[in-house]
Amino acid sequence: MTKQILEKFDMEKIVSLCRRRGFIFPSSEIYGGLSSCWDYGPLGVELKRNIKQAWWRAVVQERDDMVGLDASILMHPRVWEASGHLKGFSDPLVECKSCHLRWRVDDLKDSNCPSCGGELTEPRLFNLMFKTFMGPIEDSASVVYLRPETAQGIFVNFQNVLNTTRKRLPFGIAQIGKAFRNEITTGNFIFRSREFEQMEIEFFVKPETAKKWFNYWLEERLNWYVKLGIKREHLRLRPHTKEELAHYARDCSDIDYQFPMGWSELEGVANRGDFDLVRHASHSGKSLDYFDEEAKERITPYIIEPSAGVDRSALAFLCNAYDEEPDKDEIRVLLHLHPSLAPIKVAVLPLSRREKLAKVAKEVYADLRQCWMVQYDDAQSIGRRYRRQDEIGTPFCVTVDFQSLEDEQATIRERDTMNQIRVPISELKTTLAAKLSGEELFVLPPGGQIWKEG
Ligand code: GAP
């Protein structure tokens, strides 16, 4: 099989699993779909929620130097003048069909991509921002834009946050939210879409410490993906060349993931210097500087920006987790998702639908769902039910069998190893909590024992 076929084949497996099991559907599917817009189904919404929660926990909850924000999507139109988005995205552009770099037509020396030599799209007068109108009259005075990045909401709130939290440099503001870009080329499933979610940090530092914090955040963010199970060898740092740097950036490095279609950007970490605060101060006429108590002077902080995509992270976690194993005459498809990302943490499976058994299983289910997203499944054979849970990445299945009625115990079966332990039903919650936090399966609670798969 050639590399190209294999790559296409791999992404199609992810797309098919997402569709089949309710992770991700094409938007407005009953009307034929809407190009590069996607709907997250019951499992997809949980996966995304878990990714966002893991990010928020790591960058806000567990840190003293970060606070959160949720700015509105619609912002004053002058924001986009100051940010450079209005001007920067209004020129005739072509885009490379292979590396997706965009080029102004008047910068091109020949008809191929200056970076990789790839084929270019036809030139178009293109503004990346979606335009709409505020209020009942559709005239130029009422034009507003759907934000193409969440970052600007943070810059314009810099003084508000400074005044209300009394944070001192260095400190950061984190935000998760929707962004919209009328992308010229889209594709590769949820990798590049026109509506997507970003997780952005704007970290304000003293200018002379910017380099140090840039390196710090690169490492911190890379490690976040590794801690959540992404294989280190499938991640790389790719520093931007001078020509590639965005208009606001002094330095930038992408964190790339090896997706089925090749190495592509998962997250960008940029040193934006003082560009944004200076521009917003001059356009708004409001001071956005900071009094440095040590130096006894007013300074404009530099900004280090780790900017990640929720959808791209979801795709990377799914690709990284996808696995197939021979299973007797069939193939066991499974997602080795990190427990904190798995949409469903535990499945409760009664061995039969008999009332006596169902009663105990439903009590277990009702108890466990107080803590986690839990599924109850009593349809078809136990083997098939295990496979269904493996395919959606559920870390643990709890089986209630006839013996449970006698000994008040249930089995816990682990997704990756398929090993089982048997524990008192009264110990299930604490045992599962420990296992979901990373404890070895064979560390047993009081009364627990190692069990053989039936
Ligand atoms: N504020 C800086 C900024 O927006 P960016 O590199 O344009 O930088 C940051 O975007 C991240 O947002 C990307 O690394 C990617 O994860 C995500 N992203 C950008 N455009 C996207 C799109 N069209 N579809 C999905 N995710 C996108």
Side-chain angles (χ1 to χ4, degrees):
M1 208 183 279
T2 67
K3 196 163 174 272
Q4 216 172 4
I5 294 169
L6 189 70
E7 283 170 355
K8 190 160 183 283
F9 179 70
D10 280 350
M11 186 62 105
E12 260 157 27
K13 283 190 172 179
I14 302 287
V15 176
S16 154
L17 171 69
C18 286
R19 175 85 194 78
R20 189 170 71 246
R21 297 307 312 273
F23 279 89
I24 300 164
F25 310 118
S27 160
S28 326
E29 197 177 10
I30 59 167
Y31 290 98
L34 180 66
S35 171
S36 42
C37 294
W38 301 93
D39 295 346
Y40 286 77
L43 296 179
V45 73
E46 295 299 332
L47 173 64
K48 267 220 300 188
R49 248 164 44 90
N50 293 340
I51 292 171
K52 290 186 274 186
Q53 208 167 47
W55 183 85
W56 195 266
R57 187 186 173 109
V59 308
V60 180
Q61 188 181 326
E62 293 179 351
R63 298 183 65 106
D64 289 332
D65 56 1
M66 292 279 299
V67 291
L69 183 80
D70 185 9
S72 74
I73 288 173
L74 300 176
M75 302 181 72
H76 196 288
R78 293 209 59 211
V79 166
W80 308 112
E81 261 174 63
S83 70
H85 283 87
L86 261 183
K87 188 162 177 284
F89 290 132
S90 297
D91 291 317
L93 298 181
V94 289
E95 181 168 316
C96 174
K97 288 182 181 171
S98 350
C99 71
H100 299 292
L101 287 177
R102 288 204 189 91
W103 308 94
R104 286 161 195 260
V105 177
D106 47 8
D107 283 347
L108 286 175
K109 296 208 167 51
D110 64 39
S111 57
N112 285 72
C113 172
S115 174
C116 74
E119 196 188 334
L120 298 169
T121 58
E122 284 301 307
R124 285 196 241 172
L125 232 203
F126 206 81
N127 192 306
L128 210 67
M129 288 195 292
F130 281 98
K131 201 190 261 189
T132 187
F133 301 92
M134 194 166 241
I137 300 165
E138 294 194 2
D139 61 10
S140 60
S142 62
V143 167
V144 287
Y145 299 91
L146 302 188
R147 66 182 176 197
E149 60 174 14
T150 64
Q152 301 300 326
I154 299 181
F155 304 139
V156 300
N157 276 293
F158 170 68
Q159 278 299 347
N160 284 338
V161 173
L162 200 59
N163 294 341
T164 51
T165 62
R166 302 169 67 203
K167 287 276 173 212
R168 311 307 302 160
L169 296 186
F171 79 95
I173 305 178
Q175 173 166 229
I176 300 176
K178 289 265 184 175
F180 304 82
R181 293 183 193 177
N182 202 357
E183 297 280 5
I184 305 176
T185 50
T186 54
N188 287 318
F189 196 29
I190 52 173
F191 179 82
R192 190 185 305 276
S193 48
R194 295 200 164 98
E195 173 180 342
F196 54 97
E197 246 178 315
Q198 288 187 315
M199 306 182 284
E200 297 204 293
I201 298 167
E202 306 302 331
F203 200 74
F204 302 90
V205 302
K206 291 187 184 175
E208 63 276 17
T209 64
K211 181 80 191 151
K212 181 186 89 180
W213 283 107
F214 176 78
N215 292 332
Y216 167 86
W217 276 110
L218 258 184
E219 199 181 316
E220 194 71 8
R221 294 299 307 139
L222 187 82
N223 289 340
W224 183 78
Y225 293 104
V226 175
K227 273 189 212 142
L228 288 172
I230 300 256
K231 296 177 194 86
R232 178 62 186 84
E233 63 274 22
H234 288 171
L235 291 168
R236 72 170 188 198
L237 299 181
R238 194 188 68 80
H240 281 203
T241 60
K242 270 214 162 62
E243 297 68 46
E244 246 183 298
L245 285 178
H247 61 280
Y248 52 74
R250 289 168 185 241
D251 200 356
C252 184
S253 184
D254 288 343
I255 299 174
D256 284 354
Y257 176 73
Q258 195 169 26
F259 287 97
M261 70 281 186
W263 287 102
S264 307
E265 177 189 342
L266 184 55
E267 170 161 353
V269 179
N271 172 0
R272 296 181 73 123
D274 60 4
F275 178 87
D276 304 280
L277 293 180
V278 166
R279 295 275 293 204
H280 283 302
S282 76
H283 279 68
S284 67
K286 301 282 181 329
S287 159
L288 294 178
D289 57 14
Y290 170 90
F291 185 69
D292 181 353
E293 272 147 18
E294 274 170 24
K296 303 275 180 253
E297 60 178 7
R298 303 206 77 82
I299 60 164
T300 303
Y302 274 26
I303 295 172
I304 306 302
E305 176 193 65
S307 172
V310 180
D311 313 78
R312 264 184 216 181
S313 298
L315 185 59
F317 285 121
L318 285 167
C319 292
N320 181 75
Y322 186 88
D323 201 4
E324 292 179 357
E325 283 180 4
D327 174 34
K328 293 177 192 129
D329 297 335
E330 295 181 10
I331 285 176
R332 177 167 94 110
V333 174
L334 70 161
L335 291 181
H336 298 283
L337 285 172
H338 189 282
S340 63
L341 299 183
I344 305 296
K345 310 294 184 210
V346 184
V348 177
L349 315 175
L351 203 61
S352 108
R353 282 181 171 164
R354 292 237 198 103
E355 206 184 315
K356 268 188 174 172
L357 214 54
K359 184 172 174 291
V360 178
K362 281 191 175 147
E363 279 168 13
V364 168
Y365 172 53
D367 191 33
L368 298 182
R369 68 192 297 193
Q370 302 297 315
C371 304
W372 307 287
M373 287 301 297
V374 182
Q375 267 189 3
Y376 185 88
D377 186 1
D378 61 2
Q380 299 182 303
S381 73
I382 192 76
R384 279 195 178 277
R385 283 182 268 165
Y386 282 150
R387 298 295 170 268
R388 276 204 288 273
Q389 295 300 329
D390 293 341
E391 201 183 37
I392 61 169
T394 306
F396 298 104
C397 290
V398 170
T399 308
V400 178
D401 54 25
F402 289 104
Q403 203 178 321
S404 306
L405 302 176
E406 311 290 319
D407 62 7
E408 295 183 1
Q409 295 208 336
T411 55
I412 298 176
R413 179 241 192 214
E414 191 182 57
R415 175 195 66 204
D416 294 354
T417 60
M418 296 190 279
N419 286 331
Q420 299 190 18
I421 57 174
R422 194 163 175 89
V423 302
I425 288 174
S426 59
E427 296 287 334
L428 267 177
K429 222 195 271 186
T430 45
T431 307
L432 285 165
K435 307 302 173 207
L436 286 165
S437 309
E439 187 185 79
E440 283 283 308
L441 185 73
F442 290 150
V443 175
L444 299 168
Q449 55 185 306
I450 295 173
W451 202 247
K452 293 207 169 39
E453 194 175 6

